[in-house]
Amino acid sequence: MALVDRFELVQVLPCLADGSKIRITAELGTDIEEALPYLNSVIKSAVYNSIGKSLTIKKDGMFFTFRGRSINATKLRDVDHANQELHSWIELINRTWERRQMITPSFERRMELTALQIFRALPSTNCKQCGFVHCLAFAVKLLSDSVSVMACRPLFTPEWRAKRLVLLEILDAAGYPVPPEFMKPG
Amino acid sequence: MGAVMAIYLDHNATTPTDPAVVNAVVRAMSESWGNPSTLYGSGKRARTILGDARASVAALIGAKEPEDIVFTSGGTEGDYMALTGPFLAHSGSKNHVITSMVEHKAILLTCARLENRGFQATFLPVDEKGRVDPEDVRRAITPRTLMASVMLANNEVGTINGVAVISEICHEAGLLVHTDAIQAVGKIPVDVESLGIDLLTLSGHKFYGPKGVGALWIRKRTPIISVLAGGAQERGMRPGTENIPSIAGMGVAADIAVGRLPQEASRLRSLRNRLWEGIWKAIRSVKAHGDLKTGLPNVLNVSFGGYDAEEMVLALDRQGIEVGTGSACTTGEPLPSHVLLAMGVSPAEARSSIRFSLGRANTEQDIDSVIAALIRIVNK
């Protein structure tokens, strides 16, 4: 029997990032929280958040966030497109769940960052402009998402632009919220 | 049966079009459809409208010479022109622009594009109120700096920068100065001579004018080249047949704004303060961002600790109240506002922030209704 047998589009709004597209929320008939680690194992580009119990996947410029009873998605063309994508994902969820005995679930956050990795992408000048004595201390706070990367003022000068782009890229890949305005433009 | 109007508190996103503006647009569309670049009667009528609107917009910003106003398609285009035009005109080795971390995306992403093409940008930090320190501007100047761009008033928190002081510092060093005044024009007195700047951007739909029209004020003799190629319209700075109906509308909006400015600013400040007092008296764990004493009179940005801003906005919408958040959305999960993050607000607090931006139609009754709605939401 399929894990998810129905869904309902409960919200359709304009996409904030691209006015010509939409973002949606779909409610699922079943809680899929248990299936998320299996999906994390199967989908190599997924980012699993074990604390928030969510799975985020980027696909063809669209973003999908799976939680227990909902799927949020952005940058879809229209409602038909949304329904197509949702049907496709639900099929995958059901197939994965059906095969779960053969899959080792993964509870890891892909691109798990360490404070040291973040530190290496910082200017390492210990300038204290961020309010911390040492860049490593700032890196630790950044890792816990309790400060913003914008507190590191040198990163926003020409001298450290290259480091800024690298750091924002790795934070973004690890699922941290980064201000897109300061990333490398497309 | 007519629809029940929502209580609209997102005037920094856009403003309702004034009925007089609508009339002006329709009249221009019906009666003055000629091409202003032609010699005959219908062209002359269109040219007259252009001239009148130019004078009105000039008066709104204290510009002595109306011909220094270049009409654009809006704030984004004006910002882009202001940043790239001077670099196009520059034939030397200067390749650096100074701006701030809290500018509108139009400025930040234009700077990012310039960086991609080998130019350099410094994004200055702000203090906890969202203000740029003019001394930070001074410290950022190098022999390769061509210009600085610092916004006059911030769209999310309403903080007003000391642009006049910044202009002085920059001119001493031989730099050009641009200010994005999109959120300030029509809300507070703006005077290009007092500010001492070389370029200023404004946008019609922020002061009850039409969308899709704005202006870039360019001080005479500012070295700048158009980013578009084509006809000689707008002194060659913005080729393309002019959008007469929208320009006509913006001119009328400017006239109305000039007439209402002093009393409206005071009225909005009083309403805004009423809203903030009502919120902090009734709801715990709230924090206002920006500077309520010296910032824009109509803006209140509040974090509601422990609540998700987007869910609150939707809950308010269900109660007929429309407000804004500063968040951007890329993953389906709203990102915290870069302005708040730059001010040192934590990501969690930034995600719980709502921006209330008041306008002409708002009344005390509206404010009291919003407070009551917020109390209902947080008490659920």
Side-chain angles (χ1 to χ4, degrees):
Chain A
M1 194 173 107
L3 176 64
V4 182
D5 59 359
R6 57 188 167 83
F7 71 89
E8 186 190 357
L9 261 188
V10 295
Q11 192 171 90
V12 179
L13 292 167
C15 187
L16 293 170
D18 182 348
S20 68
K21 302 209 163 68
I22 62 169
R23 55 187 166 117
I24 60 101
T25 300
E27 275 180 4
L28 305 174
T30 318
D31 192 324
I32 62 166
E33 194 180 293
E34 266 194 73
L36 295 182
Y38 294 95
L39 285 166
N40 190 33
S41 188
V42 160
I43 305 168
K44 297 306 171 197
S45 61
V47 177
Y48 181 60
N49 182 334
S50 59
I51 297 166
K53 300 276 190 286
S54 68
L55 190 78
T56 304
I57 301 163
K58 186 178 172 180
K59 176 195 165 194
D60 301 332
M62 297 173 286
F63 285 88
F64 297 86
T65 303
F66 300 81
R67 289 196 179 83
R69 280 198 178 263
S70 69
I71 301 175
N72 285 357
T74 64
K75 295 194 181 178
L76 298 150
R77 284 192 306 272
D78 48 36
V79 170
D80 284 346
H81 185 211
N83 280 317
Q84 270 170 19
E85 288 293 334
L86 287 168
H87 276 294
S88 173
W89 284 115
I90 283 165
E91 267 180 37
L92 178 65
I93 291 168
N94 286 337
R95 274 200 315 271
T96 305
W97 186 249
E98 209 177 350
R99 294 170 45 232
R100 65 192 183 280
Q101 309 292 352
M102 297 180 278
I103 302 170
T104 306
S106 169
F107 297 87
E108 289 182 359
R109 185 175 190 141
R110 209 161 264 110
M111 298 286 296
E112 187 79 55
L113 277 184
T114 64
L116 200 55
Q117 280 174 297
I118 293 176
F119 171 69
R120 286 197 188 113
L122 292 171
S124 305
T125 55
N126 301 329
C127 70
K128 302 184 184 60
Q129 291 187 63
C130 59
F132 297 93
V133 171
H134 194 277
C135 288
L136 186 57
F138 177 69
V140 169
K141 286 292 182 182
L142 201 50
L143 188 69
S144 67
D145 201 24
S146 52
V147 294
S148 164
V149 65
M150 298 180 78
C152 178
R153 297 174 176 194
L155 279 177
F156 296 86
T157 63
E159 188 184 354
W160 300 106
R161 178 185 178 242
K163 286 240 173 192
R164 180 182 93 232
L165 295 181
V166 166
L167 178 57
L168 292 184
E169 197 68 47
I170 63 177
L171 287 172
D172 185 48
Y176 286 81
V178 296
E181 297 85 356
F182 298 101
M183 297 182 71
K184 190 166 179 145
Chain B
M1 184 187 279
V4 174
M5 298 297 289
I7 296 175
Y8 183 70
L9 291 177
D10 203 14
H11 292 81
N12 279 21
T14 194
T15 53
T17 317
D18 190 289
V21 169
V22 175
N23 288 342
V25 171
V26 170
R27 207 165 42 243
M29 226 173 228
S30 319
E31 299 166 14
S32 307
W33 42 261
N35 187 327
S37 300
T38 53
L39 297 174
Y40 38 78
S42 58
K44 282 185 198 165
R45 283 194 291 281
R47 244 186 341 272
T48 300
I49 287 182
L50 258 189
D52 290 347
R54 213 181 296 279
S56 296
V57 172
L60 182 57
I61 59 172
K64 289 186 187 134
E65 319 254 7
E67 60 263 27
D68 292 343
I69 298 286
V70 174
F71 290 119
T72 65
S73 67
T76 297
E77 184 188 344
D79 279 346
Y80 185 80
M81 284 166 64
L83 281 178
T84 52
F87 281 104
L88 285 174
H90 180 69
S91 53
S93 61
K94 296 193 178 196
N95 68 347
H96 177 227
V97 59
I98 299 169
T99 187
S100 82
M101 285 187 190
V102 299
E103 302 291 318
H104 188 271
K105 280 185 194 351
I107 296 289
L108 296 177
L109 291 175
T110 301
C111 287
R113 282 199 184 178
L114 286 171
E115 284 184 306
N116 243 14
R117 279 152 182 77
F119 293 85
Q120 295 186 337
T122 296
F123 301 93
L124 293 175
V126 294
D127 64 14
E128 72 284 356
K129 301 277 187 197
R131 262 186 313 253
V132 174
D133 181 349
E135 288 305 310
D136 277 346
V137 177
R138 190 195 299 280
R139 280 188 282 268
I141 295 173
T142 76
R144 298 182 73 122
T145 310
L146 182 68
M147 66 182 296
S149 175
V150 176
M151 68 195 331
L152 182 51
N154 185 268
N155 46 309
E156 292 189 30
V157 297
T159 302
I160 296 173
N161 279 313
V163 170
V165 175
I166 290 171
S167 292
E168 226 177 283
I169 289 170
C170 289
H171 286 151
E172 270 171 23
L175 273 54
L176 293 174
V177 183
H178 164 252
T179 193
D180 173 342
I182 288 165
Q183 290 294 342
V185 170
K187 294 188 183 90
I188 57 171
V190 173
D191 184 277
V192 291
E193 296 307 329
S194 305
L195 293 173
I197 49 182
D198 304 292
L199 300 142
L200 177 145
T201 314
L202 62 92
S203 174
H205 75 101
K206 303 292 188 183
F207 54 93
Y208 305 87
K211 288 169 186 53
V213 64
L216 175 65
W217 172 82
I218 305 173
R219 187 179 291 280
K220 245 177 205 51
R221 285 180 283 282
T222 297
I224 182 169
I225 286 180
S226 171
V227 301
L228 294 176
Q233 294 90 347
E234 300 301 289
R235 298 187 285 125
M237 273 309 302
R238 209 285 184 167
T241 305
E242 299 89 338
N243 182 349
I244 298 296
S246 294
I247 290 169
M250 187 167 67
V252 168
D255 289 336
I256 295 170
V258 164
R260 294 183 68 145
L261 200 53
Q263 65 271 36
E264 186 64 4
S266 169
R267 190 188 77 90
L268 289 175
R269 184 172 288 107
S270 171
L271 286 179
R272 188 272 315 275
N273 291 347
R274 184 187 183 95
L275 176 61
W276 172 232
E277 272 182 43
I279 290 173
W280 75 258
K281 274 182 183 162
I283 301 172
R284 301 174 70 122
S285 307
V286 291
K287 186 176 171 189
H289 303 291
D291 191 333
L292 297 186
K293 288 198 180 92
T294 62
L296 288 179
N298 72 317
V299 177
L300 177 65
N301 189 306
V302 180
S303 295
F304 292 83
Y307 293 92
D308 177 79
E310 195 172 75
E311 282 176 18
M312 285 192 77
V313 168
L314 293 172
L316 284 166
D317 184 39
R318 287 192 286 273
Q319 299 194 55
I321 296 165
E322 295 177 347
V323 298
T325 67
S327 61
C329 173
T330 56
T331 67
E333 301 190 69
L335 294 172
S337 148
H338 71 281
V339 173
L340 294 178
L341 293 180
M343 289 164 60
V345 175
S346 72
E349 226 177 7
R351 283 190 197 94
S352 71
S353 293
I354 290 178
R355 178 190 68 192
F356 305 89
S357 47
L358 282 56
R360 278 183 199 158
N362 292 137
T363 62
E364 284 187 356
Q365 195 177 359
D366 287 345
I367 299 304
D368 294 344
S369 297
V370 172
I371 295 166
L374 285 166
I375 292 169
R376 279 194 295 275
I377 289 167
V378 303
N379 285 343
K380 249 190 182 162

